[in-house]
Amino acid sequence: MKFTRINGVVLAHDIQGLGSDKPAIVFINSLGTDRRIWDHVVADLAGEFTILTYDKRGHGLSGIGQSPYRIEDHAADLAGLLDHYGLKNVILCGLSVGGLIALGLYKARPDLIRAVVFADTAHKIGTPEFWKARIEAVEMNGIEGILEPVMSRWFTPTYRTLDNADYEGYCNMLVRQPVPGYASTCAAIRDADFTETARSIAVPALCVVGDQDGSTPPDLVRSLADLVPQAGFEVIEGAAHIPCVEQPADFIARLRRFLNTLPGA
């Protein structure tokens, strides 16, 4: 685990394979989670790639910074972290708001990006009314007050069982996020529209989504794939919003197939 101050905010992160000539992959986590959602993926790819995972501002062990946020703030943090390590020509893999951050980074610093995997995300997510209600709810009752509806979007009914210790762990992950960071990131999602950026992407891309995703359903993710000129689109069966947790083997297999299409990867 490492900590680095970027744009006045301490970012908690892990990096493997730095200094090698291996391709670099950066994983960007979703709203209400931290970098540990990528553990299965990182373990499988370790040794083959330079891998960077991090907690975006307001999440995990990273600092909160000034609120409210914009997606551009999150993208600038990631650009600063990449510059800190001298990473270029990276492959981004962003889940949910992580996909918006990937779009924001492409808009600001396309020179850094070699390819993008958009997981369970879109160019615009939700409505202003939805995010207004979400912000008000967590500010009034804490994240615990939205636990059940959020989990119903994150995971399938099969996964959400009392005897699944992993499910309880991810519930804990959500409710232990800082309310200011969570609410500020909700505001960033509310105000984000990267439709034109998606149309401008000139690198290979893959859009994947769980077939039971309640946050960014398959049709919404397909609409992103339709905008991105070189994007493929794939659906992962038996998964909701976080397939890298619920169906890691399937997610990894699709990621590997995409990586194998990139020259030198």
Side-chain angles (χ1 to χ4, degrees), residues 68-71 74 97 100 183-193:
Y69 308 152
R70 302 173 304 148
I71 293 297
H74 287 297
V97 69
L100 291 174
S184 293
T185 302
C186 288
I189 300 170
R190 176 197 64 200
D191 299 336
D193 186 342

Side-chain angles (χ1 to χ4, degrees), residues 40-51:
H40 292 299
V41 184
V42 170
D44 190 88
L45 300 178
E48 299 176 52
F49 298 87
T50 297
I51 300 174

